[in-house]
Amino acid sequence: MIWFYFGTNFFILLTGIFLYVTWCKSTNQSIYNQFVILTAVSAGIAAFGHLEILPILWQKGLLVLSRIVNILAIYSFAAHSIIHFGYDKYSGIKKANVLLFLAGLSWLLVLNYANPGSKTAFLPVIVYGAVGMVGIGMLSYIIHLKEDFKNYLNVVLGVLLILASAVIFKLIPEADGIKPSDVSHILIAFALILMTYGVKRHDQNESKK
């Protein structure tokens, strides 16, 4: 099943690249676009990190690198949300976002130094994702939902899919057949589509005003 795991990670990579060169290019949301491509690159690196045909040190190194890129992607979405809704005029919010990012990255590096590439060492990505994607990003979109209900709702639903993927990855035990991580990857790919469609449509509506 290792090739199926590789394939679902690669599915995120291909989805992200497709969105980046099509829908993302038609928007002015450069930091959001950065989130999309970093998420795609993270999944692509992870795909190779799980290939057992590679030396074990290469696998561990690729998985650690993938998680670092993943943290950067989460930071990008949080930063996009702060800027998009005008919260960047409050220096305290900007500084808090950077400090949270540095804390998550530091925690990630410490855990992966002790046990590189392990599933337990993925915990900082999940926790920082809950803070950056949900606590900052999704909450900002919910607060402003009335401004563009349909398109902002797409972004919110996309974040909820990513949250569901994290829960599945962390809490559901592995068994024979399709692994929870494979389901998680597919959810992330569809989340990127939903979110990017919402951002793109909102940007198009704003340009017509």
Side-chain angles (χ1 to χ4, degrees):
M1 297 300 292
I2 191 66
W3 289 106
F4 190 77
Y5 188 96
F6 177 88
T8 54
N9 256 314
F10 213 72
F11 179 54
I12 299 174
L13 174 64
L14 294 178
T15 301
I17 291 174
F18 174 78
L19 293 173
Y20 186 77
V21 301
T22 54
W23 289 355
C24 288
K25 290 297 182 183
S26 65
T27 74
N28 295 316
Q29 305 297 328
S30 60
I31 300 181
Y32 174 81
N33 298 346
Q34 182 176 288
F35 156 72
V36 172
I37 198 63
L38 285 174
T39 302
V41 169
S42 173
I45 296 171
F48 288 97
H50 285 284
L51 283 183
E52 294 176 353
I53 59 174
L54 295 178
I56 189 66
L57 286 178
W58 287 29
Q59 292 179 49
K60 290 181 178 181
L62 286 170
L63 289 175
V64 173
L65 178 59
S66 168
R67 291 164 185 185
I68 292 172
V69 177
N70 207 334
I71 288 276
L72 287 167
I74 295 166
Y75 172 76
S76 296
F77 181 71
H80 153 76
S81 303
I82 289 171
I83 294 170
H84 182 68
F85 294 109
Y87 298 131
D88 54 321
K89 62 186 177 184
Y90 304 108
S91 61
I93 293 179
K94 290 173 64 177
K95 290 177 181 177
N97 189 39
V98 173
L99 288 174
L100 286 168
F101 161 71
L102 292 175
L105 181 60
S106 299
W107 186 20
L108 177 76
L109 293 175
V110 168
L111 287 188
N112 280 275
Y113 178 79
N115 198 3
S118 68
K119 188 172 182 178
T120 55
F122 189 74
L123 183 61
V125 177
I126 295 175
V127 174
Y128 179 63
V131 175
M133 296 292 297
V134 180
I136 298 175
M138 189 179 78
L139 182 60
S140 298
Y141 273 90
I142 290 174
I143 291 171
H144 295 269
L145 201 57
K146 290 182 180 179
E147 297 174 11
D148 189 353
F149 183 82
K150 184 177 179 181
N151 294 315
Y152 283 178
L153 182 62
N154 280 327
V155 178
V156 171
L157 291 175
V159 176
L160 287 175
L161 279 181
I162 292 176
L163 180 62
S165 77
V167 172
I168 290 171
F169 176 81
K170 188 65 180 176
L171 299 183
I172 297 181
E174 294 189 1
D176 294 334
I178 297 178
K179 295 183 178 180
S181 51
D182 295 324
V183 177
S184 175
H185 297 157
I186 294 169
L187 288 178
I188 290 171
F190 282 105
L192 286 178
I193 295 171
L194 260 181
M195 294 169 71
T196 306
Y197 180 75
V199 170
K200 169 181 173 288
R201 291 294 299 165
H202 172 76
D203 224 45
Q204 288 176 338
N205 292 343
E206 288 296 301
S207 65
K208 294 176 183 177
K209 293 181 180 178

